[in-house]
């Protein structure tokens, strides 16, 4: 066996070393020596690239931090100015001997003119595309100058706005002037109902200098199909050629340091000068499949394409990771209306996750570490899908690489949201090129599940009163709708079909509105009856769509986060600073207070309000998530709004701007557990379900169930034990029904607790508590909570004990350090019980014992 393994290892070494890095290709990233300035000042200061003008101004203390206080208003002048960036870079004689020396800009934001040594080489108008130019003829040996002139996006688009006969209905544009529709630029930069208006400019992704000769591989895409226990892989390679002739293309595929293709097969190519695409194919026997989080392994293959000359001289190679899997989206009429669900490797999967927005208004500040923390949190929270929402950006490669590694399927919107768009030829061609670029950039990621044309525009056309609200004539509105159809029903689906054949595309999410009963039978739905419709949380139990792709409720971030932008003088929900950070002014803080007054007692102070806002949000989302999971397979997905923030402030997020978990994120983690019990009142009965959606490895879940009714002091009134039963994965099973009057037997609803425990292999899992009355109607005693800290693994175990019922126990460190994270929080403890929670920390148990603060619900209204 050892000899066989050694033989394989040497074969792989020989195979890979046969090809060496081409001496005819050199790639540099232009990172250093950058400066920026305004053309009307001609003062040059050091700049960071990738970066934005705002972050460069911040670094030189020329503007205040826009995220603090009310400083957002103080920096609105920045986007009215033009900004220039320049750098000098070295070019060697060897580089200039190459056939091509090109500059590639992976992201210019947005309107820019580029020159090299005072020679114009590019004009750009889209931050979502890469731009490149062969600049060899403008270069010299030694120092060269690159100048990028960014025009103010406001100045650029204002003439078009003033010239147009209509005002586009960009209702989320905080400037109240919908310039964002003209710019192929992140829409949220212009303001949204959870983020500031900070319209950036700058070199927001890397600048590459590439010198090459003969030929270069531009991209390689892999199309995989499964046939029994074999995968067939088609490798499509995009090439640029300067030297025509005979070349050879050779694929390599390895996983876990093992070469899969035991026979090296090179494809002979006769290439002419110019751009071309060629294909090669190979089979993989017994492939290791890629599965979403919770269903199996995220097996990734290292795929490499080698390009050589007829004399076996290495010309170029191209590497990426791929996964082998099939993915389908079922969206078609059925007996209950119109289905919407995702199948992976032939298996229908209930989608659990959230909607994602960019993590910062200043995008280059989002580090690899922040991306990793984001995906670690999603994986820990049992997500298997994240929706990249259409008002942000097509994310960085790090985002999709981590999605592949962590098993998080990506619902990918194109970057259009909540408004209509121009239909002129120039705009549509720009949109087409943007789509082609991003489809080809992202389509090989096994995590990519689907493409969606836009966010909410189709339902808005029909239901948001745009025609009357903006006084459009019939001709105007019909023209705008024709532009919609051209972009979202012709250009984008054609781009998907031609560049990512077989991938599901639909033109707008949601498919159905939330106003009528029949809407909940069709496709995906954004249910905003809670919050925008001011319905109570219980409506989540009755408004169940086929797939819930948006819903949510706001809360404030942690006090540590609030202290990053406010002072104690601002500790009031209607203070100027709190109002300036609340970007949903139509409802905002008033809505939070209205719902809070309905369910809870009045909090005693501002920190209590902040804590209670998180509990309120989390309890509401728990109702929704459990309702969606209970109704599987009628409902096959729940993506709450929203996962994260782009700045610190109140919003719908579960993680705040600094990555701190709100109560919602802990509740989502528990509600997304692979196996959960859930109880609900229907028609005077209490129904209890057990839900499983994780793929069981050739076995079925064997679960016993304990159903208990107790008083507030913990005394058991009644208990029912259901013997262990086999529950197949991917099911929601009704396990018990009882009339509420029979269960309570004359007791008041606010004096009892019902809880369900699952028993698996003699282990009792944490109970799911059900309360028959809202929190403010339950007479909670002040709980006698004690805790003890003990070193455990890479952190500290905190054991909490209570003598009385304690609700929403919040563990908080008064001197929090970066990276510290409780595995659970905001928990309920029954009287006379205890719970041990692990804390990730580098500090000692004694330090945590000193720094730990515990708050429970009763503390918010009793002092």
């Amino acid at each position: 066996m050892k000899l066989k393994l050694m033989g394989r290892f040497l074969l792989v070494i020989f195979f890979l070393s046969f090809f060496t890095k081409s001496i005819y290709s050199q790639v540099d990233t232009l990172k250093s020596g950058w400066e920026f300035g305004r053309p009307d000042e001609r003062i040059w200061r050091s700049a960071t690239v990738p970066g934005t003008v705002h972050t460069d101004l911040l670094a030189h203390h020329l503007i205040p931090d826009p995220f603090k206080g009310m400083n957002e208003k103080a920096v609105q002048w920045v986007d009215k100015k033009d900004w220039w960036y320049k750098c000098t870079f070295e070019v060697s004689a060897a580089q200039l001997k190459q056939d091509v020396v090109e500059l590639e800009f992976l992201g210019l934001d947005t309107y820019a003119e580029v020159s090299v040594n005072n020679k114009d080489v590019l004009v750009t108008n889209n931050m979502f595309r890469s731009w490149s130019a062969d600049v060899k003829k403008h270069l010299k040996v030694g120092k060269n100058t690159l100048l990028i002139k960014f025009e103010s996006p406001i100045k650029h688009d204002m003439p078009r706005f003033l010239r147009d006969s209509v005002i586009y209905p960009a209702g989320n544009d905080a400037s109240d002037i919908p310039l964002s529709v003209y710019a192929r630029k992140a829409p949220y930069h212009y303001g949204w109902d959870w983020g500031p208006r900070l319209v950036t400019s700058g070199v927001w992704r890397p600048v590459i200098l590439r010198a090459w000769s003969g030929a270069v591989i531009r991209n390689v895409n892999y199309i995989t199909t499964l046939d029994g226990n074999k995968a067939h892989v088609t490798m499509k390679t995009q090439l640029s050629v300067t030297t025509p002739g005979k070349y050879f293309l050779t694929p390599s595929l390895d996983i876990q340091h093992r070469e899969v293709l035991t026979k090296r097969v090179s494809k002979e190519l006769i290439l002419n000068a110019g751009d071309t695409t060629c294909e090669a194919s190979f089979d993989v026997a017994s492939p290791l499949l890629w599965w979403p989080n919770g269903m199996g392994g995220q097996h990734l293959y290292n795929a490499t394409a080698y390009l050589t000359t007829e004399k076996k001289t290495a010309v170029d190679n191209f590497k990426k990771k791929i996964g082998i899997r099939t993915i389908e989206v079922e969206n078609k009429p059925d007996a209950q209306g119109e289905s919407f669900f995702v199948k992976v490797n032939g298996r229908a999967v209930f989608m659990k996750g959230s909607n994602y927005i960019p993590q910062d208004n200043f995008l280059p500040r989002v580090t690899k570490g922040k991306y990793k923390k984001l995906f670690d949190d999603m994986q820990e929270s049992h997500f298997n899908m994240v929706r990249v929402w259409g008002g942000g950006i097509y994310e960085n490669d790090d985002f999709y690489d981590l999605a592949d590694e962590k098993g998080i399927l990506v619902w990918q919107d194109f970057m259009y949201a909540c408004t209509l768009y121009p239909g002129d030829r120039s705009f549509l061609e720009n949109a087409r090129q943007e789509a082609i670029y991003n489809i080809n950039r992202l389509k090989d990621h096994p995590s990519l599940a689907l493409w969606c044309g836009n966010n909410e525009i189709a339902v808005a056309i029909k239901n948001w009163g745009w025609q009357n609200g903006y006084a459009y004539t019939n001709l105007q509105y019909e023209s705008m709708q024709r532009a919609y159809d051209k972009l979202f029903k012709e250009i984008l689906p054609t781009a998907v079909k031609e560049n990512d054949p077989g991938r599901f595309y639909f033109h707008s999410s949601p498919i159905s509105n939330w106003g009528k009963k029949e809407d909940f039978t069709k496709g995906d739905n954004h249910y905003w009856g809670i919050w925008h419709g001011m319905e109570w949380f219980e409506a989540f139990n009755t408004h169940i769509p086929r797939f819930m792709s948006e819903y949510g409720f706001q809360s404030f971030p942690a006090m540590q986060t609030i202290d990053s932008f406010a002072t104690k003088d601002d500790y009031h929900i209607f203070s100027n600073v709190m109002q300036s950070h609340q970007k949903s002014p139509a409802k905002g803080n008033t809505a939070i207070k209205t719902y809070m007054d309905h369910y809870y007692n009045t909090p005693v102070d501002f920190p209590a309000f902040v804590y209670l806002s998180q509990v309120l949000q989390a309890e509401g989302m728990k109702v929704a998530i459990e309702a969606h999971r209970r109704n599987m397979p009628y409902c096959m997905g729940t993506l709450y709004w929203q996962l994260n923030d782009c700045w610190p402030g109140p919003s719908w997020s579960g993680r705040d701007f600094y990555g701190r978990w709100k109560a919602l994120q802990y509740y989502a983690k528990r509600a997304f557990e692979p196996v959960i019990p859930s109880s609900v009142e229907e028609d005077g009965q209490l129904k209890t379900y057990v839900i499983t959606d994780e793929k069981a490895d050739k076995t079925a879940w064997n679960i016993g169930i304990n159903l208990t009714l107790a008083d507030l002091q913990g005394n058991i009134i009644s208990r029912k034990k259901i013997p262990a039963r086999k529950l197949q994965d991917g099911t929601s099973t009704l396990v018990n029904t009882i009339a509420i009057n029979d269960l309570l037997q004359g007791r008041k609803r606010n004096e009892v607790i019902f809880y369900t425990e699952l028993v698996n292999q003699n282990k009792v899992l944490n109970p799911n508590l059900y309360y028959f009355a809202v929190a403010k109607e339950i007479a909670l005693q002040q709980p006698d909570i004690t805790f003890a800290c003990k070193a455990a693994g890479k952190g500290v175990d905190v054991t909490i004990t209570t003598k009385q019922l304690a609700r929403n126990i919040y563990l908080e460190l008064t001197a929090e350090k970066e990276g510290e994270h409780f595995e659970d929080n905001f928990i309920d403890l029954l009287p006379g019980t205890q719970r041990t929670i692990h804390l990730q920390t580098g500090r000692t148990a004694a330090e945590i014992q000193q720094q730990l603060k515990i708050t429970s619900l009763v503390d918010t209204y009793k002092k």
Side-chain angles (χ1 to χ4, degrees):
M1 178 62 75
K2 288 183 179 179
L3 288 175
K4 286 183 178 180
L5 289 174
M6 181 61 72
R8 287 182 182 177
F9 179 72
L10 292 174
L11 175 64
V12 172
I13 292 295
F14 173 78
F15 175 62
L16 295 181
S17 63
F18 180 83
F19 303 103
T20 59
K21 181 63 180 176
S22 170
I23 61 172
Y24 300 109
S25 178
Q26 181 178 339
V27 179
D28 298 315
T29 302
L30 305 186
K31 294 180 180 179
S32 60
W34 285 91
E35 296 179 305
F36 81 111
R38 278 165 45 188
D40 57 339
E41 288 185 339
R42 297 300 177 103
I43 300 172
W44 293 99
R45 297 179 173 90
S46 61
T48 299
V49 169
T52 72
V53 65
H54 288 80
T55 49
D56 286 329
L57 289 168
L58 267 172
H60 288 278
H61 308 289
L62 295 174
I63 59 172
D65 187 341
F67 288 4
K68 291 188 176 183
M70 299 175 66
N71 290 341
E72 175 196 355
K73 295 178 173 60
V75 300
Q76 293 304 305
W77 63 271
V78 175
D79 61 46
K80 314 302 187 298
K81 301 291 184 179
D82 297 338
W83 297 95
W84 291 6
Y85 279 72
K86 70 176 182 178
C87 77
T88 58
F89 60 98
E90 294 280 343
V91 176
S92 67
Q95 286 175 302
L96 282 182
K97 288 181 181 178
Q98 302 276 29
D99 295 344
V100 177
V101 184
E102 59 192 6
L103 280 170
E104 183 178 10
F105 303 87
L106 299 183
L108 294 178
D109 178 15
T110 291
Y111 299 112
E113 297 178 357
V114 181
S115 64
V116 174
N117 294 332
N118 296 318
K119 301 295 183 181
D120 295 338
V121 297
L122 268 179
V123 177
T124 75
N125 63 352
N126 192 320
M127 77 174 285
F128 299 131
R129 295 167 55 183
S130 70
W131 300 85
S132 63
D134 184 355
V135 296
K136 178 181 175 180
K137 65 183 179 181
H138 303 307
L139 298 175
K140 59 186 178 181
V141 174
K143 293 185 181 299
N144 294 263
T145 301
L146 170 63
L147 176 64
I148 307 173
K149 299 178 180 180
F150 289 100
E151 183 182 4
S152 156
I154 307 305
K155 287 170 58 178
H156 184 280
D157 291 326
M158 184 61 77
R160 173 75 183 271
F161 168 76
L162 296 174
R163 187 171 64 247
D164 265 356
S165 59
V166 297
I167 296 176
Y168 287 88
N172 278 304
D173 186 343
S175 69
D176 294 325
I177 300 175
L179 296 180
S180 63
V181 300
Y182 302 112
R184 290 314 301 142
K185 172 178 173 59
Y188 83 107
H189 283 169
Y190 294 80
W192 220 268
D193 57 1
W194 34 256
R197 183 191 181 281
L198 294 166
V199 184
T200 58
S201 291
V203 187
W204 76 288
R205 280 178 173 161
V207 179
I208 307 296
L209 180 68
R210 180 184 295 106
W212 59 274
S213 293
V216 68
I217 300 175
R218 297 297 190 184
N219 195 11
V220 183
N221 293 120
Y222 297 84
I223 300 171
T224 62
T225 56
L226 294 177
D227 181 11
N229 200 31
K230 179 179 71 175
H232 183 71
V233 182
T234 300
M235 183 176 75
K236 292 189 175 183
T237 306
Q238 299 171 26
L239 300 161
S240 292
V241 181
T242 58
T243 305
K246 185 184 291 186
Y247 293 83
F248 290 87
L249 183 66
T250 308
S252 171
L253 198 70
D254 73 83
I255 189 168
Q256 299 170 355
H257 308 293
R258 179 177 62 88
E259 175 65 31
V260 174
L261 306 179
T262 55
K263 183 178 180 181
R264 176 165 54 85
V265 179
S266 298
K267 180 170 183 175
E268 180 181 312
L269 306 173
I270 305 299
L271 299 178
N272 297 319
D275 296 331
T276 189
T277 300
C278 60
E279 289 189 9
S281 61
F282 51 85
D283 291 333
V284 180
S286 303
L288 296 173
L289 299 184
W290 185 94
W291 288 95
N293 183 34
M295 292 187 63
Q298 288 74 55
H299 300 293
L300 296 173
Y301 288 81
N302 299 303
T304 308
Y306 295 95
L307 185 67
T308 58
T309 67
E310 187 176 8
K311 295 180 179 180
K312 305 300 181 184
T313 302
V315 176
D316 201 6
N317 64 68
F318 195 98
K319 298 180 179 182
K320 65 169 52 173
K321 291 186 177 182
I322 65 171
I324 297 176
R325 60 95 179 96
T326 63
I327 189 160
E328 307 161 77
V329 178
E330 292 279 353
N331 175 219
K332 58 187 180 183
D334 63 11
Q336 297 167 305
E338 180 182 305
S339 67
F340 194 100
F341 62 93
V342 179
K343 293 172 68 176
V344 182
N345 298 327
R347 182 183 186 274
V349 184
F350 186 94
M351 293 291 103
K352 302 181 295 187
S354 187
N355 288 258
Y356 169 86
I357 65 171
Q359 294 180 67
D360 201 320
N361 273 84
F362 308 128
L363 291 162
R365 297 199 304 196
V366 184
T367 63
K368 288 187 176 182
K370 289 182 179 179
Y371 280 117
K372 185 178 184 304
K373 178 64 166 62
L374 179 88
F375 275 90
D376 285 345
D377 288 352
M378 283 194 272
Q379 188 178 51
E380 181 184 341
S381 301
H382 309 291
F383 281 27
N384 57 22
M385 175 171 270
V386 63
R387 177 185 177 220
V388 179
W389 167 79
I393 62 169
Y394 307 92
E395 265 295 342
N396 287 348
D397 292 341
D398 292 330
F399 181 96
Y400 302 96
D401 290 343
L402 283 163
D404 296 342
E405 293 171 17
K406 300 293 185 179
I408 310 297
L409 288 167
V410 176
W411 166 319
Q412 181 66 55
D413 282 1
F414 288 96
M415 292 301 114
Y416 305 90
C418 299
T419 186
L420 292 163
Y421 290 87
D424 59 277
R425 184 177 301 176
S426 174
F427 182 91
L428 294 176
E429 177 58 21
N430 197 0
R432 189 178 75 86
Q433 293 296 335
E434 171 190 317
I436 291 170
Y437 169 74
N438 284 287
I439 291 168
N440 283 301
R441 181 170 75 92
L442 302 179
K443 66 184 181 184
D444 275 347
H445 288 279
S447 57
L448 183 64
L450 61 86
W451 294 100
C452 178
N454 67 72
N455 175 74
E456 296 186 344
I457 305 177
V459 293
I461 290 171
K462 295 181 180 179
N463 300 288
W464 289 10
W466 279 348
Q467 181 170 5
N468 292 333
Y470 286 83
Y472 299 132
T473 67
N474 288 338
L475 287 176
Q476 286 174 328
Y477 207 47
E478 289 167 4
S479 175
M480 296 167 84
Q481 290 183 71
R482 283 196 299 272
Y484 175 94
D485 290 344
K486 183 70 176 178
L487 176 56
F488 298 110
K489 296 183 181 179
E490 293 183 34
I491 290 174
L492 294 185
T494 299
V496 172
K497 184 177 181 180
E498 291 178 350
N499 295 277
D500 194 11
R503 186 87 63 185
F504 179 79
Y505 168 90
F506 68 125
H507 65 90
S508 185
S509 175
I511 291 171
S512 58
N513 197 38
W514 56 266
K516 300 176 182 178
K517 185 176 180 180
E518 55 267 29
D519 289 332
F520 292 87
T521 67
K522 301 176 183 177
D524 77 309
N525 190 280
H526 296 184
Y527 176 49
W528 286 104
I530 282 85
W531 187 264
H532 289 300
M534 295 302 289
E535 298 170 357
W536 303 125
F537 292 138
E538 290 74 20
F540 279 131
N541 287 323
T542 55
H543 293 69
I544 309 292
R546 308 303 301 273
F547 191 110
M548 187 74 91
S549 49
E550 261 196 41
Y551 62 98
F553 191 86
Q554 277 200 2
S555 72
F556 276 71
M559 287 303 301
Q560 299 98 313
T561 296
I562 290 173
D563 288 340
S564 74
F565 67 81
T567 68
K568 290 185 178 180
D569 291 339
D570 305 313
Y571 282 7
H572 190 280
I573 63 171
F574 299 119
S575 70
N576 289 335
V577 169
M578 292 304 160
Q579 289 285 68
S580 71
H581 280 251
Q582 172 54 266
K583 295 302 180 180
S584 182
K587 294 199 167 50
N589 298 341
T590 300
I592 295 174
K593 187 176 186 304
T594 299
Y595 278 83
M596 191 179 292
D597 290 343
H598 179 75
Y599 290 103
Y600 294 93
N601 290 304
T602 302
V604 294
D605 54 22
F606 181 73
F609 179 92
V610 167
Y611 157 88
L612 200 53
S613 75
Q614 291 196 20
V615 171
L616 173 72
Q617 176 194 39
E619 290 282 354
M621 295 303 98
K622 176 179 186 285
V623 174
I625 294 171
E626 291 190 14
H628 303 152
R629 293 189 69 187
R630 278 197 311 269
N631 283 274
M632 179 171 57
Y634 177 83
C635 177
M636 283 298 290
T638 179
L639 307 178
Y640 63 84
W641 185 271
Q642 65 204 60
L643 174 60
N644 60 298
D645 282 325
C646 66
W647 84 322
S651 80
W652 293 269
S653 70
R655 301 166 75 255
D656 71 20
F657 174 69
Y658 297 104
R660 294 186 175 104
W661 283 32
K662 298 183 184 179
L664 167 57
Q665 200 63 40
Y666 287 105
Y667 272 60
K669 177 183 176 179
R670 295 194 291 266
F672 284 160
E673 286 276 0
V675 186
I676 65 164
S678 177
S679 296
V680 62
E681 293 185 46
E682 293 178 353
D683 302 322
Q685 295 179 318
L686 185 68
K687 297 182 177 180
T688 300
Y689 295 75
V690 174
I691 304 153
T692 68
D693 60 13
E694 187 177 57
K695 182 182 178 183
D697 295 330
K698 299 180 181 179
T699 61
W701 294 106
N702 201 19
I703 299 290
I705 306 157
N706 295 336
L707 306 171
T708 305
L709 184 72
D711 62 22
L712 299 184
Q713 290 71 45
N715 300 310
I716 295 175
I717 299 169
S718 63
R719 171 168 286 173
K720 179 178 181 180
K721 292 188 176 183
I722 299 175
R725 59 171 66 189
K726 290 184 177 181
L727 298 171
Q728 296 299 321
D729 58 289
T731 60
S732 172
T733 305
L734 179 63
V735 296
N736 193 69
T737 301
I738 186 171
I740 293 174
N741 289 338
D742 293 342
L743 179 65
L744 298 182
Q745 298 178 358
R747 292 175 177 82
K748 294 181 180 179
R749 296 172 64 93
N750 63 345
E751 295 179 349
V752 294
I753 317 162
F754 182 84
Y755 56 93
T756 308
E757 297 168 312
L758 301 182
V759 183
N760 186 24
Q761 297 178 347
N762 296 320
K763 180 182 179 181
V764 178
L765 307 182
N766 296 320
N768 192 351
L769 278 62
Y770 183 85
Y771 298 94
F772 293 91
V774 298
K776 70 178 183 181
E777 296 175 357
I778 299 175
L780 293 175
Q781 298 179 30
Q782 185 72 47
D784 182 13
I785 300 174
T786 58
F787 63 90
C789 299
K790 180 181 179 181
K794 294 181 179 180
V796 171
D797 278 349
V798 181
T799 300
I800 314 158
T801 305
T802 179
K803 293 181 179 179
Q804 293 80 25
L805 173 65
R807 295 192 62 176
N808 312 117
I809 297 173
Y810 173 41
L811 308 180
E812 177 185 10
L813 296 172
T814 55
E816 179 190 61
K817 291 192 175 182
E818 187 176 355
E820 291 181 325
H821 173 65
F822 289 99
E823 68 174 353
D824 206 354
N825 216 332
F826 294 92
I827 62 169
D828 288 7
L829 272 186
L830 294 166
T833 62
Q834 68 177 29
R835 173 83 184 277
T836 298
I837 294 175
H838 186 71
L839 169 67
Q840 296 175 10
T841 181
R843 293 193 279 175
T844 66
E847 289 176 292
I848 298 303
Q849 187 82 28
Q850 269 192 332
Q851 294 289 333
L852 187 63
K853 176 186 175 184
I854 291 185
T855 303
S856 71
L857 180 61
V858 73
D859 297 321
T860 65
Y861 58 89
K862 289 183 179 180
K863 288 291 185 181

